[in-house]
Amino acid sequence: MLTGKHLIAGNWVGGDATFPSTPAHGPSRDFAIGTPADVDAAVAAAEDAFATFGWSTRAERATLLRAIADEIDARGDAITEIGTQETALPEARLQGERGRTVGQLRLFADHIQKGDYLDLRHDPALPDRAPLPRPDLRMIQRPLGPVAVFGASNFPLAFSVAGGDTAAALAAGCPVVVKGHPAHPGTGEIVAQAIDAAIKSTGTHPGIFSLIQSNGIEVGTALAQHPLIRAVGFTGSLHAGRALFDLCAARPDPIPFFGELGSVNPMFILPQAASARGPEIGTGWAGSLTMGVGQFCTNPGIAVIIDGPEADAFQAAAETALSAVAEQTMLTDGIASAYRDGATRVATGTGVTQIMGSSCDARHAAPYLFTVSGDDWLTDHALQDEVFGPLGIIVRVRDTEQMHQIARAIQGQLTCTLHMEDDDRDAARALLPLLERKAGRLLANSFPTGVEVCDSMVHGGPYPASTNFGATSVGTLSIRRFLRPVCYQDIPADLLPEKM
């Protein structure tokens, strides 16, 4: 059953003001609107919990992570039911996302138990060294403290209440305060119930987790500015993320803001691939572009191809495949409105030709396809801005040298893709050093939608793809975001935080 309340350190807390959910179908429900006082109570409890949770063993935290996964699975049917109502995502998508979410929790549990992520280093004492002795020095990664996490609109499970940021912070030993996303508050509450049950069953301090619901900016602002918050994890729009990033940087004690913000994930179709498989690539691109109504951060919004008959064939295949895609319901009215605004902006860009697309209303979206020359794309920097939805731009360049110009001009990306044949290897070899500087993940002959949760994944990139391109928000390396190195000099072994 839903309470419509916040979960603050093990207690379900209501409020004087509420906001209604806006489901795609099914009943609307009222949820409490959080306040700065709620934030202060949650963060104070998190700080109190950190005194013990920050020094808990890896085995204890692994047990907690597995218990959270089990409790989420136990509520799978309820999560799917309300999740489909709130987001219009199909049941299969939500079930798959739940599998990814619990799989990530279990992966992190296994990973921290191995202990490799701690990067332990030990330089033993050299008391007889001349001219000066060396002390005993041990370095280990230690948790930062309470972390604020912002739920994402497009992933109600994998990037929200118990998603990657929360899982990574808890694995590191950091308590978490989550600001729930108003697009799916009911889904968020059920997941919070699962976390609460896991905390109680494992005897963990209840202050390690709180969920505060809100449909405004007050809670997020209070979290980013709270003096006891040590880091922020965020997945969302460039506008909102940049505002929070600036708040974190402007604090008297600036803190890290790990934001994943925006990416157009360009594909570069090299000449031999265009000749051998242009229509096939165009059809595949259309499928990737419209997957989940284009509401993926890895949506490949730009295809770069040399102008000519091969580009015509690629474009025709993409147009045919996109024309067969019916209108679909987007996650929120706001996202749908922003999508329409983005399509209008692209349509009025320098030298842009609209190939297909029609007006869509309310919460619905249909694909848009545009084409532009390489010269005009390089001139109009606004064409690099992400449009969140099933919108694609074909950039027709003169030759591979202009492909290099495009690669140099693109902003930071989550992904860049090469479509290539064996005879394209020289061209690919010339492009890779350019693309490597622009993206966290480079692909060959596939499409970037879909992010594997594993040890080697990097989901991040130079700004504006993320605000810290030395980090990732997916995969076991994401835990390192919420740790810092500490050196212990001549500290007795029985006082150290981990077996070293």
Side-chain angles (χ1 to χ4, degrees), residues 154-175:
N154 59 331
F155 280 90
L157 300 174
F159 281 92
S160 290
V161 175
D165 290 342
T166 297
L170 292 176
C174 297

PDB file of all heavy atoms in Angstrom, residues 154-175:
ATOM      1  N   ASN A 154      13.673   9.208 -16.645  1.00  0.00           N
ATOM      2  CA  ASN A 154      13.533   8.187 -17.680  1.00  0.00           C
ATOM      3  C   ASN A 154      13.847   6.775 -17.207  1.00  0.00           C
ATOM      4  O   ASN A 154      13.620   5.815 -17.937  1.00  0.00           O
ATOM      5  CB  ASN A 154      14.408   8.540 -18.890  1.00  0.00           C
ATOM      6  CG  ASN A 154      15.880   8.660 -18.550  1.00  0.00           C
ATOM      7  OD1 ASN A 154      16.237   9.009 -17.433  1.00  0.00           O
ATOM      8  ND2 ASN A 154      16.733   8.390 -19.513  1.00  0.00           N
ATOM      9  N   PHE A 155      14.393   6.612 -16.021  1.00  0.00           N
ATOM     10  CA  PHE A 155      14.656   5.291 -15.471  1.00  0.00           C
ATOM     11  C   PHE A 155      14.108   5.239 -14.044  1.00  0.00           C
ATOM     12  O   PHE A 155      14.812   5.555 -13.089  1.00  0.00           O
ATOM     13  CB  PHE A 155      16.154   4.980 -15.477  1.00  0.00           C
ATOM     14  CG  PHE A 155      16.680   4.539 -16.804  1.00  0.00           C
ATOM     15  CD1 PHE A 155      17.161   5.462 -17.713  1.00  0.00           C
ATOM     16  CD2 PHE A 155      16.682   3.204 -17.155  1.00  0.00           C
ATOM     17  CE1 PHE A 155      17.644   5.059 -18.943  1.00  0.00           C
ATOM     18  CE2 PHE A 155      17.162   2.782 -18.380  1.00  0.00           C
ATOM     19  CZ  PHE A 155      17.639   3.719 -19.284  1.00  0.00           C
ATOM     20  N   PRO A 156      12.836   4.846 -13.888  1.00  0.00           N
ATOM     21  CA  PRO A 156      12.229   4.856 -12.546  1.00  0.00           C
ATOM     22  C   PRO A 156      12.853   3.866 -11.580  1.00  0.00           C
ATOM     23  O   PRO A 156      12.618   3.970 -10.373  1.00  0.00           O
ATOM     24  CB  PRO A 156      10.764   4.490 -12.833  1.00  0.00           C
ATOM     25  CG  PRO A 156      10.787   3.795 -14.150  1.00  0.00           C
ATOM     26  CD  PRO A 156      11.891   4.417 -14.935  1.00  0.00           C
ATOM     27  N   LEU A 157      13.672   2.943 -12.087  1.00  0.00           N
ATOM     28  CA  LEU A 157      14.319   1.967 -11.211  1.00  0.00           C
ATOM     29  C   LEU A 157      15.846   2.075 -11.290  1.00  0.00           C
ATOM     30  O   LEU A 157      16.505   2.300 -10.272  1.00  0.00           O
ATOM     31  CB  LEU A 157      13.878   0.545 -11.584  1.00  0.00           C
ATOM     32  CG  LEU A 157      12.369   0.282 -11.474  1.00  0.00           C
ATOM     33  CD1 LEU A 157      12.029  -1.101 -12.007  1.00  0.00           C
ATOM     34  CD2 LEU A 157      11.894   0.417 -10.030  1.00  0.00           C
ATOM     35  N   ALA A 158      16.415   1.932 -12.459  1.00  0.00           N
ATOM     36  CA  ALA A 158      17.863   1.793 -12.587  1.00  0.00           C
ATOM     37  C   ALA A 158      18.641   3.059 -12.253  1.00  0.00           C
ATOM     38  O   ALA A 158      19.823   2.984 -11.891  1.00  0.00           O
ATOM     39  CB  ALA A 158      18.216   1.340 -14.004  1.00  0.00           C
ATOM     40  N   PHE A 159      18.012   4.241 -12.368  1.00  0.00           N
ATOM     41  CA  PHE A 159      18.697   5.492 -12.045  1.00  0.00           C
ATOM     42  C   PHE A 159      17.903   6.313 -11.036  1.00  0.00           C
ATOM     43  O   PHE A 159      17.989   7.540 -11.026  1.00  0.00           O
ATOM     44  CB  PHE A 159      18.933   6.326 -13.311  1.00  0.00           C
ATOM     45  CG  PHE A 159      20.090   5.862 -14.140  1.00  0.00           C
ATOM     46  CD1 PHE A 159      19.904   4.962 -15.163  1.00  0.00           C
ATOM     47  CD2 PHE A 159      21.374   6.309 -13.878  1.00  0.00           C
ATOM     48  CE1 PHE A 159      20.954   4.517 -15.940  1.00  0.00           C
ATOM     49  CE2 PHE A 159      22.445   5.876 -14.638  1.00  0.00           C
ATOM     50  CZ  PHE A 159      22.235   4.976 -15.677  1.00  0.00           C
ATOM     51  N   SER A 160      17.163   5.646 -10.185  1.00  0.00           N
ATOM     52  CA  SER A 160      16.331   6.389  -9.238  1.00  0.00           C
ATOM     53  C   SER A 160      16.568   5.912  -7.812  1.00  0.00           C
ATOM     54  O   SER A 160      17.712   5.824  -7.386  1.00  0.00           O
ATOM     55  CB  SER A 160      14.864   6.316  -9.667  1.00  0.00           C
ATOM     56  OG  SER A 160      14.669   7.091 -10.852  1.00  0.00           O
ATOM     57  N   VAL A 161      15.523   5.571  -7.094  1.00  0.00           N
ATOM     58  CA  VAL A 161      15.618   5.411  -5.638  1.00  0.00           C
ATOM     59  C   VAL A 161      16.668   4.393  -5.217  1.00  0.00           C
ATOM     60  O   VAL A 161      17.457   4.645  -4.304  1.00  0.00           O
ATOM     61  CB  VAL A 161      14.233   5.050  -5.066  1.00  0.00           C
ATOM     62  CG1 VAL A 161      14.314   4.747  -3.573  1.00  0.00           C
ATOM     63  CG2 VAL A 161      13.258   6.205  -5.303  1.00  0.00           C
ATOM     64  N   ALA A 162      16.691   3.227  -5.863  1.00  0.00           N
ATOM     65  CA  ALA A 162      17.705   2.211  -5.547  1.00  0.00           C
ATOM     66  C   ALA A 162      18.616   1.977  -6.740  1.00  0.00           C
ATOM     67  O   ALA A 162      19.196   0.905  -6.883  1.00  0.00           O
ATOM     68  CB  ALA A 162      17.046   0.905  -5.125  1.00  0.00           C
ATOM     69  N   GLY A 163      18.762   2.987  -7.588  1.00  0.00           N
ATOM     70  CA  GLY A 163      19.536   2.848  -8.806  1.00  0.00           C
ATOM     71  C   GLY A 163      21.026   2.956  -8.585  1.00  0.00           C
ATOM     72  O   GLY A 163      21.539   2.814  -7.471  1.00  0.00           O
ATOM     73  N   GLY A 164      21.740   3.243  -9.683  1.00  0.00           N
ATOM     74  CA  GLY A 164      23.186   3.179  -9.655  1.00  0.00           C
ATOM     75  C   GLY A 164      23.857   4.064  -8.632  1.00  0.00           C
ATOM     76  O   GLY A 164      24.796   3.642  -7.951  1.00  0.00           O
ATOM     77  N   ASP A 165      23.411   5.317  -8.499  1.00  0.00           N
ATOM     78  CA  ASP A 165      24.048   6.220  -7.545  1.00  0.00           C
ATOM     79  C   ASP A 165      23.830   5.755  -6.114  1.00  0.00           C
ATOM     80  O   ASP A 165      24.760   5.757  -5.289  1.00  0.00           O
ATOM     81  CB  ASP A 165      23.506   7.645  -7.715  1.00  0.00           C
ATOM     82  CG  ASP A 165      23.968   8.303  -9.011  1.00  0.00           C
ATOM     83  OD1 ASP A 165      24.948   7.815  -9.601  1.00  0.00           O
ATOM     84  OD2 ASP A 165      23.348   9.291  -9.431  1.00  0.00           O
ATOM     85  N   THR A 166      22.603   5.357  -5.782  1.00  0.00           N
ATOM     86  CA  THR A 166      22.309   4.872  -4.434  1.00  0.00           C
ATOM     87  C   THR A 166      23.094   3.608  -4.136  1.00  0.00           C
ATOM     88  O   THR A 166      23.701   3.469  -3.065  1.00  0.00           O
ATOM     89  CB  THR A 166      20.802   4.616  -4.273  1.00  0.00           C
ATOM     90  OG1 THR A 166      20.094   5.849  -4.420  1.00  0.00           O
ATOM     91  CG2 THR A 166      20.485   4.006  -2.915  1.00  0.00           C
ATOM     92  N   ALA A 167      23.086   2.659  -5.070  1.00  0.00           N
ATOM     93  CA  ALA A 167      23.803   1.400  -4.863  1.00  0.00           C
ATOM     94  C   ALA A 167      25.292   1.636  -4.674  1.00  0.00           C
ATOM     95  O   ALA A 167      25.928   1.029  -3.796  1.00  0.00           O
ATOM     96  CB  ALA A 167      23.558   0.466  -6.050  1.00  0.00           C
ATOM     97  N   ALA A 168      25.876   2.533  -5.482  1.00  0.00           N
ATOM     98  CA  ALA A 168      27.307   2.808  -5.376  1.00  0.00           C
ATOM     99  C   ALA A 168      27.652   3.473  -4.051  1.00  0.00           C
ATOM    100  O   ALA A 168      28.655   3.138  -3.409  1.00  0.00           O
ATOM    101  CB  ALA A 168      27.746   3.691  -6.544  1.00  0.00           C
ATOM    102  N   ALA A 169      26.825   4.426  -3.632  1.00  0.00           N
ATOM    103  CA  ALA A 169      27.094   5.119  -2.375  1.00  0.00           C
ATOM    104  C   ALA A 169      26.987   4.168  -1.188  1.00  0.00           C
ATOM    105  O   ALA A 169      27.846   4.170  -0.285  1.00  0.00           O
ATOM    106  CB  ALA A 169      26.142   6.296  -2.215  1.00  0.00           C
ATOM    107  N   LEU A 170      25.943   3.352  -1.151  1.00  0.00           N
ATOM    108  CA  LEU A 170      25.798   2.395  -0.052  1.00  0.00           C
ATOM    109  C   LEU A 170      26.934   1.382  -0.059  1.00  0.00           C
ATOM    110  O   LEU A 170      27.459   1.009   1.002  1.00  0.00           O
ATOM    111  CB  LEU A 170      24.455   1.686  -0.154  1.00  0.00           C
ATOM    112  CG  LEU A 170      23.201   2.533   0.093  1.00  0.00           C
ATOM    113  CD1 LEU A 170      21.940   1.703  -0.144  1.00  0.00           C
ATOM    114  CD2 LEU A 170      23.178   3.126   1.497  1.00  0.00           C
ATOM    115  N   ALA A 171      27.340   0.923  -1.244  1.00  0.00           N
ATOM    116  CA  ALA A 171      28.458  -0.010  -1.321  1.00  0.00           C
ATOM    117  C   ALA A 171      29.731   0.608  -0.764  1.00  0.00           C
ATOM    118  O   ALA A 171      30.540  -0.066  -0.111  1.00  0.00           O
ATOM    119  CB  ALA A 171      28.671  -0.449  -2.775  1.00  0.00           C
ATOM    120  N   ALA A 172      29.904   1.912  -1.005  1.00  0.00           N
ATOM    121  CA  ALA A 172      31.089   2.605  -0.509  1.00  0.00           C
ATOM    122  C   ALA A 172      31.053   2.836   0.998  1.00  0.00           C
ATOM    123  O   ALA A 172      32.096   3.078   1.612  1.00  0.00           O
ATOM    124  CB  ALA A 172      31.237   3.942  -1.228  1.00  0.00           C
ATOM    125  N   GLY A 173      29.862   2.774   1.605  1.00  0.00           N
ATOM    126  CA  GLY A 173      29.721   3.062   3.026  1.00  0.00           C
ATOM    127  C   GLY A 173      29.161   4.430   3.318  1.00  0.00           C
ATOM    128  O   GLY A 173      29.304   4.941   4.429  1.00  0.00           O
ATOM    129  N   CYS A 174      28.485   5.029   2.309  1.00  0.00           N
ATOM    130  CA  CYS A 174      27.913   6.366   2.465  1.00  0.00           C
ATOM    131  C   CYS A 174      26.399   6.283   2.620  1.00  0.00           C
ATOM    132  O   CYS A 174      25.722   5.700   1.766  1.00  0.00           O
ATOM    133  CB  CYS A 174      28.216   7.231   1.240  1.00  0.00           C
ATOM    134  SG  CYS A 174      29.967   7.542   0.964  1.00  0.00           S
ATOM    135  N   PRO A 175      25.823   6.879   3.673  1.00  0.00           N
ATOM    136  CA  PRO A 175      24.363   7.004   3.754  1.00  0.00           C
ATOM    137  C   PRO A 175      23.830   7.844   2.595  1.00  0.00           C
ATOM    138  O   PRO A 175      24.549   8.683   2.041  1.00  0.00           O
ATOM    139  CB  PRO A 175      24.143   7.696   5.102  1.00  0.00           C
ATOM    140  CG  PRO A 175      25.391   7.458   5.877  1.00  0.00           C
ATOM    141  CD  PRO A 175      26.493   7.423   4.864  1.00  0.00           C
TER     142      PRO A 175
END
